[in-house]
Amino acid sequence: MIEVIGAGLPRTGTLSLKAALERLGFGPCFHMEELRDHPELVDRWLPDTPATREGWERVFAGYRSCADWPASFFWSPLAEAFPEAKVILTVRDPRSWYDSFRAMTRLRVATMAAVAPSPEELAFRTRFARIQPLLRRIAGETFCVGGFPYRMPSRKQATAAFERHAQAVADALPPDRLLVFDVREGWGPLCAFLGVAVPSAEPFPRLNELKARCRTGP
């Protein structure tokens, strides 16, 4: 059952949040990286996204939290399906976020075009391609632009979408259920919100998705 819902857009520290939640006992955390590590999970999202709690429980079976796309795009139906779950909106400066998001997307597109895949990689890409229409729809609806990832939203479009998304989450949830969180704040706000102790003598995880494997892109 999902206990924590990450509502932040990609490149807002979602991989760091995943690691932090797992360290605090709210793992495993479903993140885009899970689809790369376990491509069979793609099938859970098909042929369509769920309309009921039972459907979402099927998608996230074995997971206690979620973050990043595709999960974070569905923060609202997830919050409704799991009313006991808390929601964390990861944020950062919209301008630096756009630069990071664009760099990640371009790197993944370039990697796809440049790397001659092994048979195993080709099998992975074939399976992952089944979820690509959903990921493109998520990006299109978020940024109001078609052709993603080959057509990126402008800085103005993207930062407006970032701010629109953050406002929508903030307006929809009461303060006791929502944490607006910059991962640079570290353990304190996150642990207080979740009601758990701060890990002693352990730094907050600082993970960079650009350094993760870039085998595919949305």
Side-chain angles (χ1 to χ4, degrees), residues 27-211:
C29 178
F30 190 101
H31 183 281
M32 177 74 83
E33 289 298 311
E34 293 293 298
L35 295 178
R36 300 189 177 93
D37 293 336
H38 308 285
E40 68 277 7
L41 295 176
V42 164
D43 296 339
R44 296 188 182 186
W45 294 86
L46 305 171
D48 200 0
T49 51
T52 65
R53 177 180 174 124
E54 290 74 22
W56 286 116
E57 286 176 342
R58 177 186 61 80
V59 170
F60 295 113
Y63 291 88
R64 296 182 63 189
S65 57
C66 60
D68 203 69
W69 283 353
S72 64
F73 178 77
F74 297 99
W75 66 269
S76 182
L78 285 172
E80 183 176 351
F82 301 100
E84 64 280 12
K86 293 193 172 185
V87 180
I88 299 173
L89 174 66
T90 43
V91 296
R92 62 186 290 186
D93 175 74
R95 293 165 296 183
S96 67
W97 164 80
Y98 177 74
D99 292 336
S100 179
F101 184 82
R102 182 176 60 179
M104 177 195 70
T105 303
R106 287 180 171 175
L107 177 59
R108 286 178 174 163
V109 169
T111 300
M112 285 286 289
V115 176
S118 66
E120 294 79 11
E121 176 68 12
L122 184 60
F124 167 81
R125 292 186 185 184
T126 299
R127 191 160 198 169
F128 195 82
R130 301 178 65 201
I131 203 175
Q132 293 282 18
L134 173 62
L135 297 176
R136 291 192 182 102
R137 177 171 73 83
I138 287 172
E141 292 185 18
T142 299
F143 300 123
C144 300
V145 62
F148 188 88
Y150 301 100
R151 181 184 172 212
M152 281 290 295
S154 68
R155 182 181 298 274
K156 182 178 181 180
Q157 285 175 309
T159 54
F162 184 100
E163 292 166 352
R164 185 169 59 245
H165 173 78
Q167 192 63 55
V169 177
D171 289 346
L173 297 166
D176 63 338
R177 196 180 177 196
L178 173 66
L179 173 66
V180 180
F181 181 54
D182 186 322
V183 295
R184 293 176 299 178
E185 297 175 275
W187 290 118
L190 181 63
C191 293
F193 178 66
L194 297 176
V196 298
V198 174
S200 59
E202 184 173 338
F204 188 86
R206 309 285 183 184
L207 304 180
N208 187 336
E209 291 166 73
L210 283 179
K211 295 179 181 178

Side-chain angles (χ1 to χ4, degrees), residues 3-4 20-29 63-65 194 196:
E3 300 174 61
V4 182
L21 290 173
E22 291 177 342
R23 170 61 182 85
L24 295 174
F26 295 93
C29 178
Y63 291 88
R64 296 182 63 189
S65 57
L194 297 176
V196 298

